[in-house]
């Protein structure tokens, strides 16, 4: 396994729309393992392939807080949603920014595992929010897109300033 | 996605709760209640809770790591800072908390504990910890995360199983429900759980049990307020069946609080028996009554010391007695990780003495031809077989029933479920029958 580099907003590659995975091979398994390792190392509770510059529909998640429940979703689709819920979110690609976003409270997910076997999963609470956040990444969308123009501008400036300090 | 880390107030509350549990003998149950009052945000509360459970489960190896990181040990009066450091180490090493967040908010927490002098120390120790991998000198105590007396005692009592008992004690327990058969049936309740997308399965040995695939707060399960179910481990659900209740019997539950088995008896036989629920602690008896109200049940209750027969007994013998005796709770350490700090070898001897007295008193109010079920959630034979042996050997009219059942290991006088056996809590059961006097 290897750590992969995480892209940071406003990197234009975060805006790519990912393509569905066509072949369930060893390369996919390696991608999933690398993504889990990268997510745990960051640390985060979810990571989309887009964030590590692989534009395929793959998401990894572990909301257990104890690295005990790693999940992966290949070609995930939200089949049903219920309710609304507001939660404070942050993103590995938008470091240091935490804002409240409104999303569906419960979701039904259809996806495939690394072997290409389909499965369904019902999620609520943090897991539901996290899945929606990650699937957004696959569509080139970031959680800050839900915020007001003013807030988005402020966040871009803050990140640009931090970037300059690193350079 | 990343989570914002819990604020320093949640962290200082965690440290204070840990301090009280480890050094002042406060029970985890009690500290959980006071935590609920101190932390408003449910996510911060859940964070504090999982930190406390986590530190208690990994206490010995975290303490060993802390000893390596500290130049000199902390003074006794700074045990709260020690607790803060242990929970900080847990957050960095075993939870998914970013090191920088754990460092800064625990430094902040030191300040809110009114120990600003410790900010530098907390900062230095946690930074050093995040820079180096968790490598520990593994000795017996840190490996099993139990005090050495407990490890040694289990080795003596269970030469073949002590290791698996210790490992089971460190596992996360499953959440098991008992469906109130007066309000619903297990099949209906399983269907209701299915409708709310909560995967569950029927328990293997208890007719009323439902095993949830994932733990969940009771309020989020269907019908808690309506009394459709109680939370109870499968091992505890098996007590009622062993009582072999029949209509018209006079039944005593001698140490009833918190009422898990009392309510199960009532759910099984409703008003067909005359049940008296006794408990020493009037306050805890109020909790039993609250459970009655929620589950739609009732029976006579009395706050009294069961051994002090003159104060409560009306002179009428009981056909069935359930003696769920106060014990070390050494069979349920996986549910109450604080127990390993709260018991000492002397306690076991004292408890055994109390258990012998209780059993002798209960024997004197058991009707000839009646049955007494002795129950503990202990794994120590000193509290189990030895207590039964003491009565059986000194009492001519006592005969021990052979409990040959699939779900427990036979012992000389009863049966034992070891923690983790069939996924259950550790329980001991023995059943005694009283002979009719010789004519």
């Amino acid at each position: 396994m290897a750590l992969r580099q995480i892209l940071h907003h406003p990197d234009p590659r975060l805006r790519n729309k990912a393509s569905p995975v066509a072949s369930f091979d060893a390369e996919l398994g390696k991608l999933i393992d690398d993504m889990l390792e990268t997510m745990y190392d960051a640390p985060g509770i979810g990571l989309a392939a887009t964030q590590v510059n692989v534009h395929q529909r793959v998401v990894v998640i572990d909301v257990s807080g104890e690295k005990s429940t790693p999940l992966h979703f290949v070609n995930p689709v939200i089949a049903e949603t219920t309710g609304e819920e507001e939660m404070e979110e942050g993103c590995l690609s938008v470091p240091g920014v935490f804002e409240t976003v409104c999303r569906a409270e419960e979701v039904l997910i259809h996806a495939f595992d690394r072997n290409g076997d389909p499965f369904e999963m019902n999620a609520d609470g943090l897991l539901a929010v996290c899945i929606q956040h990650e699937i957004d990444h696959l569509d080139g969308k970031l959680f800050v897109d839900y915020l007001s123009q003013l807030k988005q501008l402020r966040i871009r400036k803050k990140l640009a300033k931090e970037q300059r300090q690193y350079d | 996605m990343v989570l914002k880390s819990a604020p320093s107030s949640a962290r200082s509350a965690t440290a204070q709760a840990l301090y009280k549990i480890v050094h002042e003998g406060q029970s985890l149950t009690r500290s959980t209640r006071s935590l609920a009052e101190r932390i408003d945000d449910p996510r911060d509360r859940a964070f504090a809770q999982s930190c406390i459970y986590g530190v208690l489960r990994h206490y010995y190896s975290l303490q060993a790591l802390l000893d390596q990181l500290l130049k000199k040990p902390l003074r006794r009066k700074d045990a709260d800072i020690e607790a803060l450091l242990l929970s900080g180490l847990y957050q960095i090493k075993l939870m998914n908390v970013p090191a920088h967040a754990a460092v800064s908010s625990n430094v902040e927490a030191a300040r809110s504990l009114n120990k600003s002098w410790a900010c530098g120390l907390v900062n230095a120790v946690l930074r050093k910890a995040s820079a180096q991998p968790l490598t520990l000198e593994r000795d017996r105590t840190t490996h099993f995360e139990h005090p050495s007396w407990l490890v040694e005692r289990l080795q003596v009592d269970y030469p073949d199983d002590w290791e698996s008992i210790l490992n089971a004690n460190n596992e996360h327990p499953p959440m098991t429900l008992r469906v109130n058969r007066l309000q619903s049936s297990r099949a209906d309740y399983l269907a209701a759980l299915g409708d709310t997308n909560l995967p569950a399965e029927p328990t293997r040995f208890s007719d009323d049990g439902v095993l949830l695939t994932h733990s969940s707060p009771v309020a989020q399960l269907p019908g808690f307020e309506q009394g459709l179910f109680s939370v109870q481990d499968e091992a505890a659900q098996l007590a009622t069946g062993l009582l072999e209740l029949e209509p018209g019997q006079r039944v005593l539950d001698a140490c009833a609080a918190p009422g898990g088995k009392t309510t199960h008896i009532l759910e099984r036989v409703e008003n067909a028996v005359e049940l008296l629920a006794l408990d020493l602690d009037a306050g805890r008896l109020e909790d039993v009554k609250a459970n009655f109200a929620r589950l739609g049940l009732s029976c006579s209750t009395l706050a009294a010391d069961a051994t002090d027969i003159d104060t409560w007994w009306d002179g009428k013998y009981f056909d069935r007695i359930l003696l769920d005796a106060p014990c070390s709770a050494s069979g349920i350490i996986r549910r109450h990780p604080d127990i390993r700090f709260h018991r000492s070898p002397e306690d076991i001897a004292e408890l055994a003495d109390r258990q012998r007295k209780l059993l002798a008193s209960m024997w004197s109010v058991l009707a000839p031809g009646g049955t007494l079920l002795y129950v503990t959630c202990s794994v120590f034979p000193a509290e189990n077989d030895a207590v039964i042996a003491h009565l059986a050997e000194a009492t001519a009219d006592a005969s021990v029933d052979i409990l040959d059942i699939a779900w427990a290991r036979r012992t000389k006088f009863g049966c034992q479920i070891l923690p983790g056996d069939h996924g259950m809590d550790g329980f001991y059961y023995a059943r005694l029958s009283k002979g009719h006097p010789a004519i």
Side-chain angles (χ1 to χ4, degrees), chain A residues 19-33:
Chain A
S19 333
V21 170
S23 70
F24 293 82
D25 51 14
E27 203 183 320
L28 174 69
K30 169 135 179 49
L31 173 66
I32 289 168
D33 291 338

Side-chain angles (χ1 to χ4, degrees), chain B residues 92-317:
Chain B
I92 291 171
K93 291 298 183 185
L94 295 154
M95 275 178 120
N96 234 348
V97 175
H100 62 86
V103 174
S104 64
S105 35
N106 281 304
V107 167
E108 217 29 61
R111 198 165 284 131
S112 59
L113 289 168
N114 284 327
K115 297 214 168 161
S116 301
W117 63 264
C119 291
L121 176 78
V122 172
N123 186 44
V125 167
L126 296 184
R127 264 175 205 282
K128 212 153 91 182
S130 56
Q132 55 181 243
L134 179 71
T135 45
L136 290 171
E137 291 292 310
R138 283 289 189 189
D139 63 19
R140 223 169 34 181
T141 312
T142 57
H143 180 67
F144 292 113
E145 306 284 5
H146 281 65
S148 51
W149 76 266
L150 193 47
V151 177
E152 283 156 20
R153 182 144 192 161
L154 287 169
Q155 283 175 326
V156 172
D157 287 345
Y158 296 96
D160 297 327
D161 298 305
W162 63 275
E163 217 166 332
S164 67
I165 296 173
L166 291 168
N167 289 331
N169 288 349
N170 291 327
E171 294 282 313
H172 289 250
M175 186 167 178
T176 311
L177 312 181
R178 188 190 76 219
V179 178
N180 180 356
R181 52 164 79 187
L182 296 179
Q183 307 253 6
S184 183
S185 69
R186 175 157 77 174
D188 287 349
Y189 193 72
L190 279 166
L193 286 171
D195 290 344
T196 19
N197 299 317
L198 293 159
E201 55 184 287
T203 49
R204 199 164 144 205
F205 304 107
S206 163
D207 297 340
D208 300 320
V210 164
L211 186 66
L212 295 180
T213 308
H214 308 289
S215 298
S216 165
V218 284
Q220 285 173 20
L221 299 171
F224 179 70
E225 288 305 327
Q226 294 74 31
L228 291 196
F229 70 90
S230 302
V231 178
Q232 189 180 43
D233 189 78
E234 186 178 9
Q237 296 183 25
L238 295 165
T240 316
L242 293 178
L243 274 173
E244 299 186 338
L245 297 167
E246 279 163 37
Q249 287 174 333
R250 233 172 98 78
V251 183
L252 174 67
D253 185 353
C255 307
K261 300 184 188 71
T262 325
T263 50
H264 196 199
I265 292 173
L266 292 167
E267 288 167 11
R268 298 273 287 222
V269 296
E270 215 173 348
N271 297 323
V273 301
E274 186 191 335
L275 177 65
L276 172 65
L278 210 63
D279 202 273
L280 184 57
D281 188 330
R284 293 185 73 212
L285 213 46
E286 289 305 312
D287 296 342
V288 179
K289 289 182 200 162
N291 274 325
F292 284 170
R294 186 178 62 83
L295 295 162
L297 306 166
S298 71
C299 81
S300 326
T301 59
L302 208 56
D305 180 347
T307 57
D308 210 351
I309 291 168
D310 297 340
T311 60
W312 63 269
W313 190 41
D314 62 4
K316 283 191 259 173
Y317 288 103

Side-chain angles (χ1 to χ4, degrees), chain A:
Chain A
M1 289 202 284
L3 290 179
R4 306 224 180 177
Q5 178 140 24
I6 297 175
L7 302 178
H8 285 172
H9 178 58
D11 192 309
R13 289 169 292 182
L14 286 169
R15 298 305 182 177
N16 287 359
K17 198 165 157 55
S19 333
V21 170
S23 70
F24 293 82
D25 51 14
E27 203 183 320
L28 174 69
K30 169 135 179 49
L31 173 66
I32 289 168
D33 291 338
D34 284 357
M35 283 172 63
L36 281 167
E37 194 185 354
T38 307
M39 175 185 81
Y40 285 136
D41 179 74
I45 59 166
L47 186 70
T50 308
Q51 292 175 277
V52 293
N53 200 24
V54 175
H55 301 283
Q56 300 217 25
R57 303 191 77 83
V58 179
V59 161
V60 296
I61 288 177
D62 187 342
V63 294
S64 69
E66 291 193 319
K67 307 188 183 183
S68 61
T69 325
L71 302 172
H72 66 273
F73 302 83
V74 180
N75 300 341
V77 176
I78 299 176
E80 274 174 38
T81 66
T82 352
E84 280 189 358
E85 184 171 24
E86 285 196 340
M87 205 181 266
E88 196 169 40
E89 294 181 24
C91 180
L92 293 171
S93 293
V94 194
V97 176
F98 295 90
E99 294 289 345
T100 303
V101 176
C102 183
R103 298 192 188 266
E105 191 182 0
E106 279 176 47
V107 290
L108 173 65
I109 303 293
H110 290 179
F112 296 84
D113 67 11
R114 63 173 79 206
N115 305 315
D117 293 325
F119 68 95
E120 280 187 24
M121 184 183 279
N122 271 297
D124 60 6
L126 183 56
L127 180 59
V129 169
C130 190
I131 291 177
Q132 294 173 76
H133 176 117
E134 302 311 333
I135 292 179
D136 271 357
H137 276 302
L138 304 180
D139 295 324
K141 203 167 178 186
L142 297 172
F143 82 105
V144 292
D145 300 349
Y146 293 99
L147 308 176
S148 71
Q149 288 299 322
L150 185 66
K151 267 193 179 165
Q152 290 192 39
L153 185 66
R154 241 190 253 148
I155 289 165
R156 270 202 298 276
K157 278 188 176 162
K158 176 176 180 256
L159 292 177
K161 190 175 157 201
E162 279 167 12
Q163 196 56 44
R164 278 200 303 278
Q165 283 172 346
Y166 276 109
D167 291 343

